[in-house]
Amino acid sequence: MSILKTENIAKHFGGIYAIKDISIELGRNDLVSIIGPNGAGKTTLFNLISGVYKPEHGKVIFQDSDITTQPPHMRSRGGISRTFQNIRLFEGLSVKENILAAMDPRSKYNLFDAFFLTPARMKQDKENVEKAHELLDIIGLWNERDKQPGNLPYGLQRKLEIARALASEPAVLLLDEPAAGLNPSEVRDFIDLIHKIKEDFGLSILLIEHRMQVVMEMSRWIYVINFGELLAQGKPDEIQKNPEVIKAYIGEEEAC
Amino acid sequence: MGLLFSVLTFTSITIIGVISIFIITGLTGLFSLGQASFMAIGAYTSGLLVTKLGMPFPLAIIISVAMGVLFGLIVGLPTIRLRRDYIALVTFGFGEAIIAVLNNMTSVTGGATGMAGLPQYTNLALAGGSAVVCIFMARNFKYSRFGRQCLALKTDELAAKSIGINVTRLKLTAFLVSAGMTAYAGVLFGFYTTYVDPGIFNWTKSAEWIIMVFFGGIGSLTGAIVSALILGTLPEILRFASEWRIVIYSVTVLIIINYRPKGLLGERELKLADIKKLFSSWRKAL
Amino acid sequence: MLIQQLLNGISLGAVYAIIAVGFALVFNILKFSNFSHGGVLTVTAYAGFLISSKLNLGFVPTILLTAVAGGLIAMGIERVAFRRLRKKGSPIILYFVSSITMGMLLENLITVFFSSNFYSYPKFFEKSSFTIFGLNMAVTDALMLIISIVSLTILMVVIYKTRLGIAIRALSMDTNTTSLMGINVNAVIAATFFVVGCLGGIAGVFLGLNYTLYPQLGQLIVKGFIASVLGGLGNLFGAVLGAILLGVLEVTLTNIPFIGAGLSPVVIFVIMLIFLILRPQGIAGKIVHEKA
């Protein structure tokens, strides 16, 4: 029973296929990884799932409905959240406000409430602040709540992006190289965090990651993409032994 | 005393204009170079309704603000979903078009010679009070879900969409709020000077407000108000010729953008707590 | 009659094309709308007047000297308003403000120094119009058309055939990579601004000739904006097409009794809005998005 899948999805830029007929599937409360050399099309696939790009053909199915033509903000409201390979936080908003901003699209009050501080607004904002505080506490950003995101160390910026994605109450979380740039002790910490949020929030997670340690330890299933095409798929131990995968990786990536 | 009152009244009106730019540019990151035309719409609509139709002033205000919003919708709907540059270019064209209408529909608007004979309904109390209310509303807007989402989409539209923000709709909302507010400033203006002509509402006026917002600090409402106060009153008091005034503004802003791009206050705001702190430290000192 | 109007429209569009292309070039390399270009138009319109009246020069030397003057002014603008922003990697929003401020500054400097007197260009030509193939054409219109075609052709040659042109095109795609390729980005941008200023200077003289000299003359940059929007933002060919279309539209509308010269900006604005709804990518057909 899958929560999210793509069916023969394809996208090209100027005649060159970045993604060609790829079908993947993510189950409920599942963790599936997508790996592949740089430029293989992994992020393009995320952009297709989150609606940044429209595919040339193929479908994106989320909770049994076709969302191929839905705009990005509707997908987020529907329950697909993501993080970005190059961190994209909102400068000019504090850490806490970054979280609140992700809750705001689902807040109910209108412009009038906003202008004149009606009880409806005060109540809603108070609830959101409480939820944001809880989330900051879970992720481990409580002490940084009033700082500007730009002033945080790299690892904490990664965490904040995940926290922000969680704030929009997703069913599916797309993580684009979340462990990039982390030092080994941070990686350990990170793996534990992902396990924890996956269980606590009942999430299904689709992960793009270069660190084999993370991928092999966490994934139930792995898709390998090369030159925009699906090269292999399988359980972590199968992928590790797959000769084609090894060939694609030799000289390209060091498996760390 | 009369001069001081008049300077303060004009400054209050300027503050409302600058706040409207703060919402659209400071919070949302869009440039409206035809903002002054919404002021013209407010001034002319209300002026005509009161002088030609004898409509009561409060009703005329409501209709004028609605007119501002309606025109905002006409300009904004096709434009705002496109790249940010479009709204700047199209509003600039809108400004020209509005001035052309006002200049040419002589029988209704008085043409280039302007519309005279408006009763002086605006006084310092009304203008100042309105400015305070607008400041209050803008502050609440900034810290509401609307303001936060505006700031979010200003820094990163892609990330904003990814957390569920309807970027187009929110930009339009901010644009309409600011159009309505500016139209109201126009009403106050017309009924203070009792005379308006199309030349007052050119692009320089819009650009002046934008400059004030940047002078004060792009994300700071306090900064916008402080700079409207400084840049609005100083030249009046020092009696600069208005051309020199703008030359001096421009040079100042160029220096600020190059050497202190965050403006006077950056993103900082004056909070109630700060004022309390200030008072308590005074008391201690005494 | 129809052909006559078409001809007039095209010559008007030719000036708009020069303005629009100047605007589009900067948009291409720095990715922002350069509002200071309007200031360049104002200043060069006056500069052309000073050059022709003080030096007692004929038409061609005037336009050449003004073009150079415009080029230098635009380079100066780049130096003062954009160079430091670029070095610091400032957000686009600051380029916007900087260019708006620069445009205001130039317009108001002219107001301060020149607004008290009325100036107009000397009469360059004995006859003001001539007849060709039964069509009546103003001398300035004919010159406008010829000089625009010549300068646009030179521009296209520069952009597509010279090293500078390759550098400019490379820059319009990616600044970082271009500088990695060993191209002196500062020099290329300065050169681009020079070219843009030259175009502005030529346009400035024609505007000054066609209309009277007044400090707000530069606001005719709006024609360049509209042409760019119609043609497709940042597309040079589109800008030219949009400008010609705009010129023809204007001449046609001016001849419609209810509209006339006064209300034609309104009709054109409405047409532009409708155009944006139907074909936001412009005539040229490529939509520019903000970089993801």
Side-chain angles (χ1 to χ4, degrees):
Chain A
M1 187 49 206
S2 71
I3 185 164
L4 174 81
K5 61 181 174 184
T6 66
E7 288 177 359
N8 294 319
I9 203 161
K11 172 75 194 169
H12 60 68
F13 297 105
I16 297 162
Y17 275 95
I19 282 289
K20 200 175 177 188
D21 299 332
I22 286 191
S23 303
I24 62 167
E25 219 173 308
L26 175 71
R28 284 182 199 277
N29 204 13
D30 194 1
L31 200 152
V32 168
S33 289
I34 300 167
I35 62 171
N38 284 326
K42 305 183 294 291
T43 299
T44 307
L45 186 59
F46 265 25
N47 283 337
L48 287 167
I49 296 172
S50 61
V52 178
Y53 300 141
K54 298 273 173 292
E56 254 71 48
H57 61 255
K59 282 183 192 163
V60 182
I61 311 281
F62 174 62
Q63 288 177 334
D64 298 325
S65 53
D66 185 347
I67 59 160
T68 315
T69 56
Q70 236 181 25
H73 70 269
M74 291 307 291
R75 300 191 197 198
S76 165
R77 292 181 193 189
I80 301 178
S81 270
R82 71 173 291 184
T83 66
F84 296 89
Q85 192 179 344
N86 46 338
I87 304 174
R88 286 169 168 267
L89 293 164
F90 303 126
E91 293 301 328
L93 292 178
S94 70
V95 167
K96 185 165 88 185
E97 286 168 330
N98 264 272
I99 308 278
L100 287 173
M103 298 175 168
D104 285 325
R106 282 166 297 107
S107 292
K108 290 288 182 292
Y109 61 86
N110 60 28
L111 256 185
F112 181 86
D113 297 317
F115 280 140
F116 300 105
L117 304 176
T118 62
R121 169 191 163 163
M122 301 315 276
K123 183 163 166 275
Q124 174 84 67
D125 274 3
K126 196 168 159 243
E127 281 172 18
N128 283 4
V129 167
E130 279 163 13
K131 265 192 267 176
H133 282 174
E134 266 171 51
L135 201 55
L136 286 167
D137 199 34
I138 293 173
I139 302 287
L141 283 166
W142 175 251
N143 292 327
E144 280 74 23
R145 63 189 181 281
D146 290 323
K147 290 185 183 153
Q148 283 293 309
N151 298 336
L152 297 183
Y154 195 75
L156 291 185
Q157 291 191 22
R158 286 265 177 229
K159 279 190 176 175
L160 176 55
E161 226 194 5
I162 293 171
R164 186 182 68 185
L166 289 177
S168 55
E169 293 179 11
V172 167
L173 186 59
L174 313 175
L175 298 173
D176 196 346
E177 294 195 33
L182 302 184
N183 65 40
S185 75
E186 283 176 326
V187 170
R188 192 64 255 161
D189 181 35
F190 167 79
I191 292 175
D192 295 341
L193 178 68
I194 298 297
H195 275 307
K196 183 174 161 51
I197 60 171
K198 179 169 169 269
E199 297 317 318
D200 286 4
F201 295 88
L203 287 174
S204 314
I205 297 179
L206 198 57
L207 176 75
I208 292 177
E209 190 46 67
H210 277 305
R211 300 226 186 196
M212 288 307 141
Q213 175 203 355
V214 178
V215 173
M216 296 305 162
E217 184 180 333
M218 299 190 74
S219 319
R220 176 195 62 84
W221 195 257
I222 297 173
Y223 292 97
V224 187
I225 298 182
N226 198 19
F227 294 116
E229 288 182 83
L230 199 59
L231 187 73
Q233 57 173 305
K235 293 192 181 115
D237 51 334
E238 294 165 6
I239 292 296
Q240 269 171 320
K241 284 179 233 143
N242 187 316
E244 274 194 86
V245 175
I246 294 167
K247 206 174 104 196
Y249 264 89
I250 280 174
E252 299 244 29
E253 297 290 328
E254 42 183 332
C256 48
Chain B
M1 221 38 207
L3 173 71
L4 182 68
F5 269 43
S6 131
V7 168
L8 286 177
T9 310
F10 278 121
T11 306
S12 302
I13 295 171
T14 304
I15 286 178
I16 299 175
V18 170
I19 287 175
S20 73
I21 290 282
F22 171 77
I23 288 174
I24 190 71
T25 307
L27 293 182
T28 320
L30 299 173
F31 285 86
S32 168
L33 289 169
Q35 198 66 16
S37 21
F38 293 114
M39 199 178 181
I41 290 168
Y44 273 91
T45 311
S46 59
L48 291 173
L49 288 176
V50 170
T51 58
K52 305 246 160 152
L53 299 182
M55 189 180 275
F57 187 49
L59 187 59
I61 292 179
I62 294 170
I63 296 180
S64 305
V65 171
M67 269 309 246
V69 174
L70 178 70
F71 274 92
L73 207 58
I74 294 170
V75 176
L77 262 183
T79 321
I80 222 138
R81 70 204 159 100
L82 306 170
R83 195 189 149 97
R84 281 163 201 240
D85 293 80
Y86 281 94
I87 194 78
L89 301 178
V90 170
T91 49
F92 194 106
F94 177 62
E96 300 276 300
I98 287 291
I99 289 177
V101 171
L102 297 178
N103 271 327
N104 284 282
M105 292 178 63
T106 317
S107 58
V108 187
T109 62
T113 43
M115 177 174 67
L118 274 65
Q120 197 179 42
Y121 287 147
T122 307
N123 52 25
L124 179 57
L126 177 62
S130 301
V132 170
V133 171
C134 286
I135 292 170
F136 174 74
M137 285 167 67
R139 182 215 160 264
N140 294 344
F141 185 85
K142 181 183 173 183
Y143 294 112
S144 73
R145 72 189 191 96
F146 295 97
R148 269 189 303 268
Q149 292 181 92
C150 282
L151 281 167
L153 78 84
K154 184 181 93 175
T155 34
D156 196 327
E157 279 192 22
L158 187 62
K161 286 176 186 166
S162 86
I163 57 166
I165 295 176
N166 187 342
V167 168
T168 309
R169 194 193 159 122
L170 192 61
K171 279 180 180 171
L172 191 61
T173 306
F175 186 59
L176 296 184
V177 166
S178 95
M181 217 177 240
T182 312
Y184 180 61
V187 177
L188 293 178
F189 182 83
F191 284 87
Y192 187 66
T193 57
T194 70
Y195 162 82
V196 285
D197 72 79
I200 302 170
F201 308 106
N202 57 14
W203 88 283
T204 325
K205 182 116 238 147
S206 316
E208 220 177 287
W209 290 340
I210 294 176
I211 282 179
M212 286 182 182
V213 167
F214 276 82
F215 181 82
I218 175 66
S220 168
L221 179 61
T222 318
I225 296 159
V226 169
S227 81
L229 277 172
I230 297 174
L231 297 180
T233 52
L234 257 191
E236 299 288 338
I237 291 166
L238 299 178
R239 293 276 177 183
F240 281 131
S242 87
E243 296 87 21
W244 274 113
R245 188 185 76 199
I246 293 173
V247 169
I248 293 166
Y249 282 4
S250 311
V251 172
T252 319
V253 166
L254 281 175
I255 293 170
I256 285 186
I257 288 172
N258 277 301
Y259 295 98
R260 195 185 156 79
K262 294 206 140 190
L264 280 186
L265 295 178
E267 269 126 19
R268 261 164 296 174
E269 294 287 8
L270 184 68
K271 298 212 171 77
L272 263 178
D274 300 330
I275 302 174
K276 277 183 197 150
K277 224 190 279 169
L278 199 67
F279 269 113
S280 63
S281 63
W282 272 349
R283 228 176 291 158
K284 261 180 227 154
L286 292 172
Chain C
M1 191 56 207
L2 201 67
I3 300 178
Q4 176 74 58
Q5 275 191 27
L6 203 62
L7 186 67
N8 294 348
I10 292 174
S11 3
L12 184 62
V15 184
Y16 293 168
I18 302 263
I19 300 174
V21 166
F23 169 77
L25 263 177
V26 174
F27 186 89
N28 262 336
I29 53 167
L30 293 181
K31 306 286 179 252
F32 77 97
S33 300
N34 179 20
F35 287 92
S36 69
H37 200 54
V40 174
L41 296 180
T42 300
V43 175
T44 51
Y46 279 84
F49 158 75
L50 289 177
I51 288 168
S52 64
S53 58
K54 298 278 180 232
L55 303 178
N56 221 346
L57 292 175
F59 180 74
V60 175
T62 298
I63 215 158
L64 287 177
L65 278 179
T66 312
V68 173
L72 295 176
I73 292 164
M75 275 170 87
I77 292 176
E78 192 269 323
R79 217 40 242 270
V80 176
F82 308 125
R83 174 84 50 103
R84 235 187 113 81
L85 295 183
R86 232 165 6 86
K87 250 205 292 201
K88 291 198 293 188
S90 309
I92 285 292
I93 196 168
L94 287 183
Y95 286 78
F96 250 111
V97 186
S98 207
S99 80
I100 292 167
T101 315
M102 207 66 210
M104 278 237 308
L105 177 62
L106 294 175
E107 185 179 314
N108 282 282
L109 277 174
I110 294 291
T111 311
V112 168
F113 291 109
F114 292 95
S115 73
S116 46
N117 286 311
F118 178 79
Y119 300 95
S120 89
Y121 274 78
K123 208 165 180 301
F124 284 117
F125 311 102
E126 295 280 298
K127 275 171 68 180
S128 65
S129 67
F130 62 95
T131 313
I132 184 168
F133 303 126
L135 295 171
N136 196 22
M137 202 171 186
V139 175
T140 45
D141 277 3
L143 283 170
M144 220 150 74
L145 188 57
I146 295 167
I147 291 179
S148 302
I149 292 173
V150 170
S151 40
L152 289 177
T153 313
I154 296 175
L155 180 75
M156 290 305 161
V157 171
V158 169
I159 290 200
Y160 287 98
K161 296 281 181 228
T162 65
R163 280 174 55 95
L164 174 66
I166 296 173
I168 290 176
R169 279 183 293 145
L171 209 57
S172 73
M173 288 172 204
D174 193 325
T175 320
N176 291 335
T177 318
T178 311
S179 76
L180 289 178
M181 306 297 276
I183 291 170
N184 183 342
V185 171
N186 279 341
V188 175
I189 289 181
T192 312
F193 268 85
F194 183 80
V195 172
V196 167
C198 289
L199 294 172
I202 296 167
V205 172
F206 278 120
L207 293 181
L209 272 173
N210 256 3
Y211 308 87
T212 47
L213 282 173
Y214 59 102
Q216 289 79 30
L217 194 65
Q219 290 177 20
L220 287 167
I221 180 78
V222 70
K223 310 293 184 190
F225 296 164
I226 296 173
S228 297
V229 169
L230 293 179
L233 212 55
N235 187 302
L236 298 188
F237 284 108
V240 175
L241 288 178
I244 306 269
L245 179 66
L246 177 63
V248 173
L249 261 176
E250 272 196 8
V251 171
T252 315
L253 289 172
T254 310
N255 285 311
I256 297 174
F258 291 118
I259 300 170
L263 285 180
S264 84
V266 184
V267 179
I268 286 180
F269 180 73
V270 173
I271 292 176
M272 177 171 79
L273 284 186
I274 294 169
F275 200 86
L276 278 181
I277 296 170
L278 299 178
R279 198 173 164 80
Q281 69 272 44
I283 302 169
K286 251 206 195 148
I287 205 156
V288 246
H289 283 294
E290 266 139 311
K291 261 195 179 161

